[in-house]
Amino acid sequence: MYRTVVNRILLSGGSRRLPKYPDIRTVISSSRFSTTTQPQTVLNPSGSSTSSSSSTNFQTSSAAGDVPRHERNNPRAEYEGEQARVLQASLRHVIRLGWSEEAMIAGAKEVGISPSIVGSFPRKEAALVEFFMDDCLQRLIDRIDSGEELQNLTPSQRIYKLVRIRLEMQAPYISKWSQALSIQAHPLNVSTSFKQRAMLIDEIWHAAGDETYDLDWYVKRTVLGGIYSTTEIYMLTDSSPEFRDTWLFLDNRVKDAFDLKKTIQEAKYLAEAVGAGMGSSLQVFVGRVLQR
Amino acid sequence: MALRLLTRNLRNRISPNLCSASLLHSHATSFGFKEVREEEKSQMVGKVFSNVASNYDLMNDFMSAGLHRLWKDRLVSKLSPFPGMKHLDVAGGTGDVAFRILESINSIRRRALQDPINDDLQEETRIYVCDINQNMLNVGKNRALERGLGEDKSLVWVQGDAEALSFEDNSMDGYTIAFGIRNVTHIEKVLTEAYRVLKRGGRFLSLELSHVEIPVFKELYDLYSFSVIPRLGEVVAGDRESYQYLVESIRRFPPQEKFASMIADAGFQKVEYENLVGGVVAIHSGLKI
């Protein structure tokens, strides 16, 4: 429970900007004898700030707080701004070219920067997808902060609304979204995408107000994570106008999750079924043993 | 280890200018472990490479047990070449890196994924191979012919000095220097020139033999370097002196961190390095913004 509190303090202190894409730094160094990857970054000529970022081959974990504050305002760190500009422009080409290097090259050309910069992104297409996820999360936070639309709704309605708002941001890219999902599922990228999704779920729960039920915090996260993911995947194959079927699906899932009585009933049925199955096989087993 | 870091930090704080200037001066006047005049160094290096040119690739294979191929592959994959790219490979005499870049751009797999409109972009690709030594360039041209790239107008062979390039400002998307920066007289001039010719967004990549810090491996590597390599040079290429120079010059070259800070001094951002084989080879990269 204290994690929610900590998150609230972190997120609500000052402006509610979550760390933008460029702050996803990775701090890992592991070496094998034959090929070692230990890139080190030296940003400042005076040598005052150094941060390490890891290269390929190993799972990366992102720690958003890694970059010291002063570095973000440091004019020498402007390459991060340029990288963000390139990624922003690349998003416009995703619909045509997919979440790929080609889209990023087109984006770089649009912004007037040499496409060589694409090579400086550690996991190229993943960088684009992660940028998009962060961007959407930021837009969601902005909507939450500005919108009074959530005031008069019950928690389940709020969750429905928030998940719907978030998924609608993906609607323009839906034709290529399955590619994005596969990129996120790649072993190299899985930990970052998991963290991004966890942040998203946290944000939605926080906005929906989580004082209602007496469920455990992790269970809540998991349940909402399940609702979100299943709806996202449903959306991939939905061809109804304006994704009407998806929203219906979402509505049903949210209702299911919040219908405590139904959940308890289902849990009871499951327990009975398992018990029956186990009980009968246990009986047979004991019978066989005794027969000897 | 902590003590070494501490003394290094203290030294850097007390006399940074003194330290780096003296280091650069010592590089400019060192020919391996020998002391030479600055003006002479370039000539002496030139002689080394004229001698080794014909056997250069063979010796590379022997000395690195074929690993140099993998290192160059890694360099090119880090570069991420694209069609229509203007690339400069400095000290690239025999063309290894240039061929790889060209092949990466032209690969069938890549073409299959592209838009048809990119085909004419392919025509605009230019890989400039620049080397101060004409003998090395000639070997490279012959190898290009052998690979069927003789008529390819993407490949341009230029004789030139890395410290004073004949290319225009902001004209190159990429700059690589593989196993070359160790041999120049003034490292900082080369870095400044690299910064000058790169476009915004362009990347600098250097592949170079570097310093090994891992305890036991370091001793083995030193043994290999000083005992085996010059002997190999004597037997295979008939030139012990040149290979003695080679292993000595590796030791005199600045270590990874120092070289990275030199690259940052030239104006590059996002300076990183990656150690391969425990530090035997390091790929440094920088971004011009």
Side-chain angles (χ1 to χ4, degrees), chain A residues 149-167:
Chain A
E149 40 200 63
L150 295 176
Q151 296 296 52
N152 305 322
L153 303 174
T154 68
S156 68
Q157 282 174 326
R158 280 190 203 162
I159 288 194
Y160 168 81
K161 189 133 191 139
L162 288 169
V163 173
R164 179 170 170 164
I165 292 175
R166 174 59 182 79
L167 285 175

Side-chain angles (χ1 to χ4, degrees), chain A residues 33-34 36 38-42 45 53 55 76 78-79 82 96-97 109 113-114 116-117 119-120 124, chain B residues 74 78 80 82 85 115 121 173 200-201 203 217 257 264-265 269-275 277-278 289:
Chain A
F33 196 73
S34 50
T36 58
Q38 285 170 8
Q40 313 285 324
T41 313
V42 176
S53 58
S55 184
R76 302 287 304 208
E78 55 191 78
Y79 74 87
E82 294 302 315
R96 201 168 41 96
L97 298 168
K109 285 185 182 158
I113 290 186
S114 165
S116 280
I117 199 171
S120 70
K124 306 192 199 113
Chain B
R74 177 97 187 113
K78 278 196 102 148
S80 267
F82 58 91
M85 181 179 204
D115 273 341
L121 258 187
D173 293 301
R200 274 196 92 210
R203 288 175 78 218
F217 185 52
E257 288 283 350
D265 282 339
Q269 297 191 27
K270 196 175 195 277
V271 181
E272 297 177 324
Y273 68 87
E274 182 189 340
N275 276 338
V277 195
I289 284 288

Side-chain angles (χ1 to χ4, degrees), chain A residues 93-158:
Chain A
H93 298 268
V94 164
I95 303 173
R96 201 168 41 96
L97 298 168
W99 303 87
S100 65
E101 259 185 71
E102 279 70 35
M104 293 169 83
I105 289 174
K109 285 185 182 158
E110 201 183 291
V111 176
I113 290 186
S114 165
S116 280
I117 199 171
V118 171
S120 70
F121 292 110
R123 284 162 292 122
K124 306 192 199 113
E125 303 90 20
L128 189 55
V129 174
E130 283 158 19
F131 175 81
F132 177 71
M133 294 285 284
D134 275 340
D135 196 43
C136 286
L137 183 53
Q138 190 56 57
R139 275 155 57 195
L140 184 68
I141 293 177
D142 289 342
R143 281 288 289 271
I144 294 172
D145 281 345
S146 70
E148 311 77 24
E149 40 200 63
L150 295 176
Q151 296 296 52
N152 305 322
L153 303 174
T154 68
S156 68
Q157 282 174 326
R158 280 190 203 162

